[in-house]
Amino acid sequence: MKELKENKKWEVSIMEIRDNGAKFKVTRRVPEMGVAETKMFNTKEEAKQQFEEWLSE
């Protein structure tokens, strides 16, 4: 039996987008796998909370 352990190295970023008001985009990526997940938020506080959560994983 073969045991496989994966070490996911996420890159997490936060960006403010100003277009008819401010929105905040939080993205996490695994560059070597070409995988990304993005969430959009209306408030900076919500975006920072998601950013911190993803950093702690």
Side-chain angles (χ1 to χ4, degrees):
M1 182 173 180
K2 190 174 188 179
E3 184 176 334
L4 176 64
K5 293 184 180 179
E6 293 184 25
N7 184 6
K8 295 181 182 174
K9 296 181 182 179
W10 292 102
E11 291 180 358
V12 182
S13 64
I14 186 169
M15 181 187 308
E16 181 178 0
I17 301 170
R18 293 184 183 196
D19 185 28
N20 297 329
K23 294 202 184 280
F24 300 87
K25 179 172 95 169
V26 182
T27 302
R28 67 177 177 176
R29 316 177 47 231
V30 181
E32 56 270 358
M33 294 179 66
V35 175
E37 179 178 3
T38 299
K39 291 188 178 184
M40 298 292 289
F41 298 93
N42 291 321
T43 67
K44 186 175 185 176
E45 292 77 22
E46 290 175 317
K48 285 179 78 172
Q49 182 179 4
Q50 182 65 62
F51 180 79
E52 294 296 328
E53 181 182 322
W54 280 349
L55 280 180
S56 67
E57 289 181 355

